[in-house]
Amino acid sequence: DKRPVILFDGVCNMCNGAVNLALDWDPAAKLRFSALQSNVGRALLQANGREADDISSIVLVTSDGAYIKSDAILRITEELTPSCLPVPLAKPAAIAGRTLVPKFLRDLIYDGVADNRYSILGMRD
């Protein structure tokens, strides 16, 4: 199965909500999902040069490699933006964001949210 895999923090309510949204936007099942904490997630992290217990970032694993932080978010947005979305510029905006906004700035914003994800929407038991 060559479909990309999104690795997400399985105990983070915000992350689980984002996965539910992505599932709604992916009726063709273009992507697969796995918690970072799962055996599959840990193995994919290690296979892509990351520590097996690193849950600091969402990871998009593709045949081209692994993307993290804002690169992962923007590539997922590019892949899943449905044509029926009332914001037809979401996909071009994601592409522009990835190419025009410096990575250090995008990742600074990502890290601010990621570092506070549990206090924003809590954790699952």
Side-chain angles (χ1 to χ4, degrees), residues 6-9 15 18-19 36 45 50 55-60 67-73 76 110 114 117:
I6 297 173
L7 302 177
F8 64 97
D9 182 347
C15 305
V19 167
L36 288 160
L45 285 171
R50 298 184 64 81
I55 63 166
S56 65
S57 174
I58 188 171
V59 181
L60 175 65
Y67 300 94
I68 62 169
K69 298 186 180 189
S70 63
D71 283 337
I73 296 293
I76 292 165
Y110 177 91
R117 66 188 182 268

Side-chain angles (χ1 to χ4, degrees), residues 101-117:
V101 178
K103 180 176 175 41
F104 81 90
L105 183 57
R106 291 186 280 120
D107 284 349
L108 183 67
I109 295 166
Y110 177 91
D111 287 339
V113 174
D115 290 347
N116 294 290
R117 66 188 182 268

Side-chain angles (χ1 to χ4, degrees), residues 1 26 103 123:
D1 191 342
D26 190 20
K103 180 176 175 41
M123 297 175 65

Side-chain angles (χ1 to χ4, degrees), residues 9-18 117-118 121-124:
D9 182 347
V11 299
C12 165
N13 285 334
M14 182 171 58
C15 305
N16 279 284
R117 66 188 182 268
Y118 299 138
L121 288 177
M123 297 175 65
R124 293 181 178 203

Side-chain angles (χ1 to χ4, degrees), residues 27-56:
K30 296 185 223 176
L31 299 173
R32 294 175 292 161
F33 301 83
S34 182
L36 288 160
Q37 298 91 335
S38 70
N39 290 336
V40 169
R42 294 170 60 83
L44 284 171
L45 285 171
Q46 286 184 310
N48 285 280
R50 298 184 64 81
E51 295 294 325
D53 61 351
D54 182 1
I55 63 166
S56 65

